């Protein structure tokens, strides 16, 4: 059977909500930037030099987003996100230069699509200064990667295999978020956002140090996240460590 | 097979065969009766096996419901803490309880969860108890998220699809992975046929390449 570009949900039954981890006001500040994050308040320059505001989605692969595993790379590949009518399931198999983003925003007119023909290279300052309006779920990122790889190469890689290859990166992002929220609380609990951001940076550094250390078995925790069988033991260890640090 | 044993003393089923001096008709009748008898016994064993499987499911289901009712007396915070301590990810907990990740995040911060949601959390803990206590699965969260051999289907997927019967059968090792998959998703062979393979590269990360 020929491989086809997939869509969210089961055959004949599309579930766009499954593409998103967070949208709108639910997007947590405590989560590291990663592939599939959608940012607004950016500036794009048209061919005639006109500067206009735009929305973009991060396309860069998670393993090349950071130069030292911590700080964002000097340039991050993104694609512009534009309003677009809802794609029916049959339309997901075509429209190669689009990544549909149905119901990205609440309400009517909330359907968008990322356009792989409109690429942007953003700096860390641009990314960190933008407003993150959505974070794709692993399902959403798998679909994004499948479509982008197909757009560039005309090769269709099944999303379940993209998932297998990239799951550890998203697992680490989840754990980092949990670590930060466990240590410094949720942003809503802070009156001063700058102070929250500063504490968030410190907590993120602490997490990155901890996850790169070896556990009791002599294996680096980050490596153990790569195996399905050992991920839960790292989560358990991290939650115990969080409790220890909170008590201290 | 029958002719192979005619006139010999080799027992095909562990019983003693008739001697070679008896007529073929007598021997034929004896084998016919044996065929009938063993066929009848097989049918009874099959029926008994099916009955026992159903009874086992009903019993496990009742135990699960009772444990769920007990655990549901706990606060949502305690339930979440118990599940987290087992090593489940928040994403998986949300999926297993059929709520969004932001909704679960709100519960973690003390937000209100409905009675139905509390029951879902309690039922997950109850099922983990059953799997751990009856089937000696020590690391339940790890077991839940480990794919069945060769396919990206996990017991988590079965639980999410309300196939607790398969989760329990698979945990008990009474059901081979292939049969569990056949029952869970008859189209799995076609669905997961791929010309690619995921391999581990030098730095320990994973890459995708065409199958050799």
């Amino acid at each position: 059977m020929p491989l086809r570009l997939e869509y969210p949900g089961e055959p004949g039954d599309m579930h766009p909500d499954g593409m998103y981890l967070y949208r709108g006001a639910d997007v947590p500040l405590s989560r590291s930037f990663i592939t599939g994050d959608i940012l607004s308040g950016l500036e794009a320059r048209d061919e005639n030099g006109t500067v206009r505001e735009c929305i973009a989605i991060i396309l860069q692969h998670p393993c090349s987003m950071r130069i030292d595993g911590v700080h964002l790379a000097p340039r991050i590949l993104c694609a512009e996100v534009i309003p677009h009518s809802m794609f029916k399931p049959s339309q997901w198999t075509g429209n190669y230069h689009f990544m549909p983003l149905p119901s990205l925003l609440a309400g009517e007119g909330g359907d968008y699509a990322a356009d792989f023909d409109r690429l942007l290279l953003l700096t860390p300052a641009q990314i960190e200064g933008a407003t993150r309006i959505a974070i794709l779920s692993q399902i959403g990122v798998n679909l994004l990667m499948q479509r982008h790889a197909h757009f560039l190469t005309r090769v269709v890689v099944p999303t379940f295999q993209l998932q297998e290859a990239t799951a550890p990166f998203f697992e680490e992002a989840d754990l980092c978020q949990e670590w930060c929220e466990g240590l410094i609380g949720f942003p809503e609990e802070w009156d001063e956002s700058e102070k929250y951001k500063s504490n968030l940076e410190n907590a993120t550094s602490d997490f990155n140090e901890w996850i790169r250390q070896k556990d009791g078995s002599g294996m680096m925790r980050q490596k153990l996240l790569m195996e399905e069988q050992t991920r839960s033991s790292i989560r358990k260890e991290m939650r115990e460590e969080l409790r220890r640090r909170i008590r201290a | 097979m029958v002719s192979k044993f005619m006139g010999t003393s080799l027992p095909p089923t562990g019983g003693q065969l008739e001697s070679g001096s008896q007529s073929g008709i007598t021997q034929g009748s004896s084998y016919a009766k044996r065929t009938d008898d063993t066929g009848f016994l097989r049918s009874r064993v099959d029926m008994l096996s099916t009955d026992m499987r159903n009874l086992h499911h009903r019993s496990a289901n009742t135990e699960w419901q009772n444990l769920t009712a007990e655990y549901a007396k706990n606060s949502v915070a305690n339930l979440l803490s118990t599940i987290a301590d087992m090593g489940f990810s928040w994403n998986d907990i949300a999926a297993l309880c059929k709520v969004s990740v932001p909704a679960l995040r709100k519960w973690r911060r003390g937000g209100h969860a409905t009675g139905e949601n509390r029951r879902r959390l309690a039922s997950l803990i109850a099922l983990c108890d059953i799997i751990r206590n009856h089937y000696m699965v020590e690391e339940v969260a790890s077991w839940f998220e480990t794919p069945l051999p060769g396919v990206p289907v996990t017991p988590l997927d079965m639980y999410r699809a309300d196939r607790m019967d398969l989760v329990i059968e698979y945990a008990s090792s009474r059901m081979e992975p292939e049969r569990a998959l056949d029952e869970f998703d008859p189209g799995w062979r076609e669905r997961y046929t791929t010309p690619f393979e995921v391999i581990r590269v030098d730095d320990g990360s994973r890459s995708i390449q065409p199958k050799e």
Side-chain angles (χ1 to χ4, degrees):
Chain A
M1 198 171 78
L3 294 169
R4 288 178 181 277
L5 292 170
E6 299 168 39
Y7 58 86
E10 294 299 309
D13 186 16
M14 198 163 72
H15 291 288
D17 286 345
M19 290 174 59
Y20 303 98
L21 192 58
Y22 299 100
R23 272 174 291 184
D26 287 328
V27 173
L29 276 179
S30 47
R31 193 171 178 86
S32 314
F33 290 102
I34 199 165
T35 316
D37 284 3
I38 302 173
L39 313 162
S40 73
L42 294 159
E43 288 184 343
R45 191 177 294 275
D46 284 335
E47 286 106 14
N48 61 9
T50 315
V51 176
R52 59 185 167 77
E53 198 171 306
C54 75
I55 301 176
I57 186 168
I58 297 178
L59 295 180
Q60 189 107 1
H61 192 274
C63 74
S64 56
M65 272 195 69
R66 290 179 163 73
I67 41 175
D68 51 4
V70 180
H71 297 98
L72 289 173
R75 292 285 185 276
I76 301 288
L77 181 65
C78 298
E80 198 173 334
V81 171
I82 56 172
H84 198 291
S85 56
M86 170 87 88
F87 286 77
K88 295 176 196 158
S90 60
Q91 293 173 310
W92 279 71
T93 57
N95 294 289
Y96 297 160
H97 70 102
F98 283 121
M99 164 65 190
L101 296 166
S103 309
L104 172 62
L105 302 183
E108 207 169 315
D111 301 319
Y112 281 71
D115 187 345
F116 299 138
D117 278 335
R118 301 189 191 192
L119 296 178
L120 303 165
L121 282 174
L122 299 182
T123 63
Q126 284 174 301
I127 287 177
E128 285 160 0
T131 303
R132 194 158 31 163
I133 58 170
I135 295 175
L136 292 191
S137 66
Q138 181 91 64
I139 293 169
V141 173
N142 294 339
L143 292 167
L144 174 69
M145 285 184 171
Q146 184 186 59
R147 296 189 76 85
H148 191 218
H150 176 260
F151 172 73
L152 295 173
T153 63
R154 291 297 184 270
V155 173
V156 179
V157 181
T159 54
F160 73 85
Q161 292 186 297
L162 292 165
Q163 161 92 20
E164 197 181 337
T166 57
F169 300 105
F170 292 89
E171 188 70 41
E172 193 173 325
D174 289 342
L175 288 189
C176 183
Q177 181 186 347
E178 186 178 344
W179 173 284
C180 293
E181 289 174 350
L183 281 184
I184 64 169
F186 294 88
E188 299 82 357
E189 297 160 5
W190 288 71
D191 293 332
E192 299 170 61
S193 66
E194 284 310 310
K195 199 167 179 188
Y196 178 81
K197 281 182 187 168
S198 156
N199 279 291
L200 183 61
E201 269 182 43
N202 293 336
T204 303
S205 297
D206 287 349
F207 171 80
N208 284 315
E209 191 181 320
W210 181 84
I211 199 73
R212 284 165 179 75
Q213 288 168 353
K214 291 177 180 172
D215 76 339
S217 70
M219 290 277 289
M220 197 202 285
R221 294 188 181 101
Q222 196 179 36
K223 299 271 182 209
L224 291 170
L225 277 185
M226 292 179 182
E227 302 297 333
E228 290 91 349
Q229 291 91 335
T230 47
R231 276 177 206 154
S232 66
S233 65
I234 296 299
R235 285 186 215 116
K236 279 201 282 192
E237 193 189 349
M238 189 194 82
R239 287 164 187 163
E240 281 167 20
E241 177 66 14
L242 273 178
R243 277 197 286 266
R244 193 187 65 75
R245 291 190 183 213
I246 292 165
R247 276 197 305 267
Chain B
M1 279 300 282
V2 170
S3 63
K4 183 181 170 189
F5 297 114
M6 295 284 278
T8 75
S9 58
L10 288 174
T13 59
Q16 188 59 50
L17 283 177
E18 317 263 332
S19 104
S21 61
Q22 286 180 297
S23 73
I25 293 170
T26 310
Q27 286 179 0
S29 303
S30 168
Y31 279 115
K33 184 171 183 317
R34 190 191 301 260
T35 304
D36 274 349
D37 289 350
T38 51
F40 176 71
L41 279 174
R42 277 188 69 185
S43 300
R44 288 201 58 183
V45 168
D46 285 347
M47 283 168 62
L48 192 62
S49 171
T50 304
D51 285 351
M52 283 304 111
R53 184 183 166 179
N54 292 340
L55 185 61
H56 183 226
H57 283 176
R58 282 202 299 276
S59 173
N61 200 45
T62 306
E63 183 184 1
W64 181 44
Q65 299 301 334
N66 290 344
L67 276 172
T68 298
E70 277 302 307
Y71 279 118
K73 293 174 185 169
N74 287 280
S75 68
V76 168
N78 277 346
L79 294 171
L80 287 173
S81 170
T82 303
I83 298 172
D85 285 348
M86 285 191 253
F88 283 99
S89 76
W90 293 115
N91 288 350
D92 285 339
I93 298 169
L96 292 171
C97 295
K98 300 183 178 174
V99 297
S100 68
V101 171
L104 187 70
R105 197 160 169 272
K106 283 170 189 156
W107 300 352
R108 286 167 58 204
R109 294 159 54 200
H112 176 72
T114 63
E116 175 59 18
N117 289 331
R118 180 197 296 255
R119 195 197 61 77
R120 283 183 181 148
L121 292 171
S123 71
L124 174 59
I125 301 173
L127 186 62
C128 289
D129 266 12
I130 290 173
I131 290 170
R132 198 167 31 208
N133 296 337
H134 288 297
Y135 309 121
M136 311 306 153
V137 176
E138 282 184 29
E139 297 286 342
V140 186
S142 169
W143 178 82
F144 258 108
E145 61 188 290
T146 300
L148 277 69
V151 288
V153 177
T154 64
L156 279 177
D157 298 316
M158 295 177 184
Y159 185 94
R160 212 162 26 211
D162 294 325
R163 293 301 307 268
M164 263 57 86
D165 57 326
L166 291 182
V167 173
I168 289 175
E169 281 290 287
Y170 181 58
S172 71
S173 303
R174 289 192 177 88
M175 188 177 263
E176 293 298 316
E178 198 162 323
R179 206 177 129 217
L181 284 166
D182 283 340
E183 286 210 23
F184 178 64
D185 174 11
W188 66 273
R189 287 178 186 81
E190 194 175 57
R191 190 189 301 269
Y192 300 119
T193 298
T194 168
F196 301 101
E197 62 184 345
V198 179
I199 56 152
R200 191 170 304 291
V201 290
D202 292 344
D203 67 355
S205 63
R206 292 170 180 182
S207 269
I208 301 169
Q209 68 174 27
K211 278 181 183 166
E212 288 178 1

